[in-house]
Amino acid sequence: MSETSTAVANIGVVGLAVMGSNLARNLASREGNTVAIYNRSPERTHELVNAHPEAGFVASESIDDFAASLSRPRTALIMVKAGAATDAVIDQLVAAFDPGDIIVDGGNALFTDTIRREKAVRETGINFVGAGISGGEEGALLGPSIMPGGSKEAWKTLGPILISIAAVAEGEPCVTHVGTDGAGHFVKMIHNGIEYADMQLIAEAYDLIRRGTGKTPAEIADIFAEWNRGELESYLIEITAEVLRQVDAKTGKPLIDVILDQAGAKGTGAWTVQTALDLGIPVSGIAEAVFARSLSSKPTQRAAAADLPGPSAAPVADADAFIEDVRLALYASKMIAYSQGFDEIVAGAEEYNWDIKKGEIAKIWRGGCIIRAQFLNRITEAYAEDPGLVALVTAPYFRDVMARAQDSWRRVVCIAAESGIPAPAFSSSLAYYDGLRADRLPAALVQGQRDFFGAHTYKRADMEGTFHTLWSGDRSEIAMDDGH
């Protein structure tokens, strides 16, 4: 392993697990980059250097040597486990770095932690950047979608480096300066929330087709492959066909039938929902996807409930028509997931004073990331035509999709309910759509109830002001002043 105290590297990577190693290799493969590397365990550093001599890594066994190997302004990308491990590495780098240097956290940090860290590090004169990185192991190596926050000053140095390794879609790099402090990790959190919804919707579509038509996983794989040639074209649709086509070598069965039906989660989906609750933004499709994973992971409860009464699912009369209905229902529900996700981005930007360009976010999700899809261009176009768009689903393209898909969507949800096939994300997405377009909601009754038992007051539709009915008295209505 080559060690040096000469400042020759323009970028360094701390943490050499799979993502960190692949990002380091990606950086080293791009013209103009010399990459310094450091890992808490020197053995892993040795392994990476020996496995990839072509990368020309500048390796160190201490943080001080690592810092000395970086040219100024020093720029270090942290790829370690979120939480205490990240804080520990930040503290080490702050001690070794000088004002004007840049520390980048590329892990899946909670955005409020990034806000806290950026504020603390900024007081030392060092720049701290929280950068969301999507694309998994392959994306890290070949070109991810990158969502950096931090200061404009840091972006001047960091931008060209990140542009050099990002995925490219339609000639444009899939990276943009999202906004200050925690904006990058916030947008990555929303990306992952949408990813949860997208995956759940695809899983429900598969389940509906299999249980509704009796088709085999291999036959359904062909259906998804066909869908991927049309408006549903996306990475997740593509890999769904691959997963469904896979045969288990041990049993000869479809692999899907031997995988335990308990889905794991790493927290970003739950963070998306928790943050949406704090912001008062309904993200029901995303929430149902998170809850569906939770339900799948309750085997004791599911076993106890297995003999609860339910309908006898009968095959649909016209399999081809049903499959087309599912396709359209899937497309419409996916639109709702993205619309809800962008609603949360808008609310987060307002709450935390971030200048987030919604169309730019859709652009950088077109390549490298897990939710890359053909129709992301339509989102960019929608925000270009109307930057103040109040709900993505109301833009002309999305309005047309809803008009074309809604009858199919309703038929699918009805068949799911009648057949006892759980389709929570399809159902909640449709309910959200109907709630959004309703001219009047039963929230009026909720307000009446709240005023009855708690004197919480209400507003009237026909005049200004705040009111309370004397429910325990003569039931007359009184106007309340601002202080109640």
mmCIF file of all heavy atoms in Angstrom, residues 50-72:
data_model
loop_
_atom_site.group_PDB
_atom_site.id
_atom_site.type_symbol
_atom_site.label_atom_id
_atom_site.label_comp_id
_atom_site.label_asym_id
_atom_site.label_seq_id
_atom_site.Cartn_x
_atom_site.Cartn_y
_atom_site.Cartn_z
ATOM 1 N N ASN A 50 -5.083 -3.462 -3.432
ATOM 2 C CA ASN A 50 -4.539 -4.641 -4.114
ATOM 3 C C ASN A 50 -5.454 -5.144 -5.228
ATOM 4 O O ASN A 50 -4.988 -5.636 -6.257
ATOM 5 C CB ASN A 50 -4.288 -5.766 -3.103
ATOM 6 C CG ASN A 50 -3.167 -5.422 -2.141
ATOM 7 O OD1 ASN A 50 -2.282 -4.631 -2.474
ATOM 8 N ND2 ASN A 50 -3.206 -5.992 -0.946
ATOM 9 N N ALA A 51 -6.762 -5.026 -5.007
ATOM 10 C CA ALA A 51 -7.723 -5.511 -6.006
ATOM 11 C C ALA A 51 -7.807 -4.590 -7.215
ATOM 12 O O ALA A 51 -8.149 -5.038 -8.318
ATOM 13 C CB ALA A 51 -9.098 -5.669 -5.366
ATOM 14 N N HIS A 52 -7.485 -3.288 -7.014
ATOM 15 C CA HIS A 52 -7.643 -2.319 -8.111
ATOM 16 C C HIS A 52 -6.431 -1.401 -8.218
ATOM 17 O O HIS A 52 -6.509 -0.193 -7.986
ATOM 18 C CB HIS A 52 -8.931 -1.509 -7.898
ATOM 19 C CG HIS A 52 -10.161 -2.353 -7.904
ATOM 20 N ND1 HIS A 52 -10.715 -2.838 -9.063
ATOM 21 C CD2 HIS A 52 -10.909 -2.829 -6.880
ATOM 22 C CE1 HIS A 52 -11.774 -3.576 -8.757
ATOM 23 N NE2 HIS A 52 -11.912 -3.593 -7.441
ATOM 24 N N PRO A 53 -5.305 -1.979 -8.610
ATOM 25 C CA PRO A 53 -4.095 -1.153 -8.742
ATOM 26 C C PRO A 53 -4.245 -0.070 -9.809
ATOM 27 O O PRO A 53 -3.585 0.967 -9.749
ATOM 28 C CB PRO A 53 -3.012 -2.174 -9.117
ATOM 29 C CG PRO A 53 -3.760 -3.348 -9.692
ATOM 30 C CD PRO A 53 -5.056 -3.396 -8.939
ATOM 31 N N GLU A 54 -5.129 -0.338 -10.787
ATOM 32 C CA GLU A 54 -5.318 0.635 -11.869
ATOM 33 C C GLU A 54 -5.902 1.956 -11.374
ATOM 34 O O GLU A 54 -5.800 2.993 -12.048
ATOM 35 C CB GLU A 54 -6.229 0.036 -12.949
ATOM 36 C CG GLU A 54 -7.724 -0.002 -12.629
ATOM 37 C CD GLU A 54 -8.129 -1.072 -11.611
ATOM 38 O OE1 GLU A 54 -7.276 -1.906 -11.243
ATOM 39 O OE2 GLU A 54 -9.312 -1.072 -11.191
ATOM 40 N N ALA A 55 -6.530 1.932 -10.189
ATOM 41 C CA ALA A 55 -7.190 3.131 -9.670
ATOM 42 C C ALA A 55 -6.195 4.169 -9.166
ATOM 43 O O ALA A 55 -6.520 5.352 -9.078
ATOM 44 C CB ALA A 55 -8.157 2.754 -8.538
ATOM 45 N N GLY A 56 -4.977 3.727 -8.821
ATOM 46 C CA GLY A 56 -3.977 4.674 -8.330
ATOM 47 C C GLY A 56 -4.366 5.348 -7.030
ATOM 48 O O GLY A 56 -4.082 6.540 -6.816
ATOM 49 N N PHE A 57 -5.032 4.605 -6.154
ATOM 50 C CA PHE A 57 -5.474 5.178 -4.889
ATOM 51 C C PHE A 57 -4.306 5.671 -4.038
ATOM 52 O O PHE A 57 -3.240 5.050 -4.008
ATOM 53 C CB PHE A 57 -6.256 4.142 -4.069
ATOM 54 C CG PHE A 57 -7.594 3.774 -4.636
ATOM 55 C CD1 PHE A 57 -7.915 2.441 -4.892
ATOM 56 C CD2 PHE A 57 -8.540 4.747 -4.910
ATOM 57 C CE1 PHE A 57 -9.147 2.087 -5.405
ATOM 58 C CE2 PHE A 57 -9.786 4.404 -5.429
ATOM 59 C CZ PHE A 57 -10.088 3.072 -5.674
ATOM 60 N N VAL A 58 -4.522 6.768 -3.345
ATOM 61 C CA VAL A 58 -3.574 7.273 -2.359
ATOM 62 C C VAL A 58 -4.112 6.831 -1.002
ATOM 63 O O VAL A 58 -5.085 7.387 -0.496
ATOM 64 C CB VAL A 58 -3.447 8.802 -2.424
ATOM 65 C CG1 VAL A 58 -2.435 9.297 -1.396
ATOM 66 C CG2 VAL A 58 -3.068 9.247 -3.832
ATOM 67 N N ALA A 59 -3.508 5.813 -0.409
ATOM 68 C CA ALA A 59 -4.068 5.175 0.777
ATOM 69 C C ALA A 59 -3.367 5.629 2.051
ATOM 70 O O ALA A 59 -2.164 5.888 2.057
ATOM 71 C CB ALA A 59 -3.952 3.657 0.641
ATOM 72 N N SER A 60 -4.157 5.722 3.106
ATOM 73 C CA SER A 60 -3.628 6.126 4.410
ATOM 74 C C SER A 60 -4.193 5.237 5.499
ATOM 75 O O SER A 60 -5.284 4.672 5.354
ATOM 76 C CB SER A 60 -3.995 7.582 4.712
ATOM 77 O OG SER A 60 -3.465 8.460 3.749
ATOM 78 N N GLU A 61 -3.450 5.131 6.615
ATOM 79 C CA GLU A 61 -3.909 4.349 7.745
ATOM 80 C C GLU A 61 -4.293 5.215 8.931
ATOM 81 O O GLU A 61 -4.658 4.703 9.988
ATOM 82 C CB GLU A 61 -2.832 3.335 8.158
ATOM 83 C CG GLU A 61 -2.618 2.250 7.111
ATOM 84 C CD GLU A 61 -1.781 1.089 7.638
ATOM 85 O OE1 GLU A 61 -1.391 1.123 8.821
ATOM 86 O OE2 GLU A 61 -1.525 0.147 6.853
ATOM 87 N N SER A 62 -4.229 6.543 8.757
ATOM 88 C CA SER A 62 -4.673 7.459 9.808
ATOM 89 C C SER A 62 -5.385 8.640 9.174
ATOM 90 O O SER A 62 -5.127 8.982 8.006
ATOM 91 C CB SER A 62 -3.493 7.955 10.645
ATOM 92 O OG SER A 62 -2.731 8.907 9.919
ATOM 93 N N ILE A 63 -6.267 9.237 9.935
ATOM 94 C CA ILE A 63 -6.998 10.407 9.436
ATOM 95 C C ILE A 63 -6.040 11.550 9.124
ATOM 96 O O ILE A 63 -6.196 12.266 8.129
ATOM 97 C CB ILE A 63 -8.064 10.853 10.467
ATOM 98 C CG1 ILE A 63 -9.304 9.949 10.363
ATOM 99 C CG2 ILE A 63 -8.472 12.303 10.251
ATOM 100 C CD1 ILE A 63 -10.193 10.198 9.151
ATOM 101 N N ASP A 64 -5.012 11.732 9.956
ATOM 102 C CA ASP A 64 -4.066 12.826 9.718
ATOM 103 C C ASP A 64 -3.328 12.636 8.395
ATOM 104 O O ASP A 64 -3.160 13.594 7.624
ATOM 105 C CB ASP A 64 -3.069 12.921 10.878
ATOM 106 C CG ASP A 64 -3.705 13.477 12.148
ATOM 107 O OD1 ASP A 64 -4.730 14.179 12.032
ATOM 108 O OD2 ASP A 64 -3.182 13.202 13.246
ATOM 109 N N ASP A 65 -2.881 11.402 8.117
ATOM 110 C CA ASP A 65 -2.214 11.137 6.834
ATOM 111 C C ASP A 65 -3.187 11.311 5.670
ATOM 112 O O ASP A 65 -2.817 11.808 4.599
ATOM 113 C CB ASP A 65 -1.631 9.727 6.822
ATOM 114 C CG ASP A 65 -0.370 9.606 7.673
ATOM 115 O OD1 ASP A 65 0.202 10.653 8.034
ATOM 116 O OD2 ASP A 65 0.032 8.464 7.968
ATOM 117 N N PHE A 66 -4.424 10.874 5.884
ATOM 118 C CA PHE A 66 -5.468 11.033 4.862
ATOM 119 C C PHE A 66 -5.645 12.512 4.543
ATOM 120 O O PHE A 66 -5.665 12.920 3.371
ATOM 121 C CB PHE A 66 -6.769 10.417 5.386
ATOM 122 C CG PHE A 66 -7.978 10.664 4.532
ATOM 123 C CD1 PHE A 66 -8.190 9.958 3.363
ATOM 124 C CD2 PHE A 66 -8.926 11.615 4.910
ATOM 125 C CE1 PHE A 66 -9.324 10.183 2.576
ATOM 126 C CE2 PHE A 66 -10.061 11.842 4.144
ATOM 127 C CZ PHE A 66 -10.256 11.126 2.967
ATOM 128 N N ALA A 67 -5.768 13.346 5.590
ATOM 129 C CA ALA A 67 -5.952 14.785 5.378
ATOM 130 C C ALA A 67 -4.749 15.388 4.661
ATOM 131 O O ALA A 67 -4.897 16.240 3.772
ATOM 132 C CB ALA A 67 -6.178 15.480 6.714
ATOM 133 N N ALA A 68 -3.546 14.933 5.026
ATOM 134 C CA ALA A 68 -2.330 15.470 4.405
ATOM 135 C C ALA A 68 -2.225 15.109 2.928
ATOM 136 O O ALA A 68 -1.553 15.814 2.157
ATOM 137 C CB ALA A 68 -1.108 14.958 5.158
ATOM 138 N N SER A 69 -2.898 14.024 2.518
ATOM 139 C CA SER A 69 -2.811 13.589 1.118
ATOM 140 C C SER A 69 -3.756 14.358 0.197
ATOM 141 O O SER A 69 -3.704 14.191 -1.022
ATOM 142 C CB SER A 69 -3.115 12.091 1.020
ATOM 143 O OG SER A 69 -4.491 11.834 1.268
ATOM 144 N N LEU A 70 -4.600 15.213 0.776
ATOM 145 C CA LEU A 70 -5.604 15.930 -0.007
ATOM 146 C C LEU A 70 -5.147 17.347 -0.329
ATOM 147 O O LEU A 70 -4.660 18.076 0.547
ATOM 148 C CB LEU A 70 -6.930 15.998 0.766
ATOM 149 C CG LEU A 70 -7.687 14.678 0.950
ATOM 150 C CD1 LEU A 70 -8.769 14.819 2.013
ATOM 151 C CD2 LEU A 70 -8.285 14.221 -0.380
ATOM 152 N N SER A 71 -5.332 17.750 -1.580
ATOM 153 C CA SER A 71 -5.035 19.132 -1.966
ATOM 154 C C SER A 71 -6.154 20.043 -1.463
ATOM 155 O O SER A 71 -7.266 19.591 -1.202
ATOM 156 C CB SER A 71 -4.891 19.236 -3.488
ATOM 157 O OG SER A 71 -6.075 18.792 -4.125
ATOM 158 N N ARG A 72 -5.852 21.345 -1.320
ATOM 159 C CA ARG A 72 -6.816 22.287 -0.770
ATOM 160 C C ARG A 72 -7.679 22.910 -1.865
ATOM 161 O O ARG A 72 -7.174 23.158 -2.954
ATOM 162 C CB ARG A 72 -6.092 23.377 0.029
ATOM 163 C CG ARG A 72 -5.358 22.831 1.242
ATOM 164 C CD ARG A 72 -4.502 23.902 1.900
ATOM 165 N NE ARG A 72 -3.655 23.334 2.930
ATOM 166 C CZ ARG A 72 -4.013 23.218 4.223
ATOM 167 N NH1 ARG A 72 -5.203 23.650 4.598
ATOM 168 N NH2 ARG A 72 -3.199 22.691 5.100
#
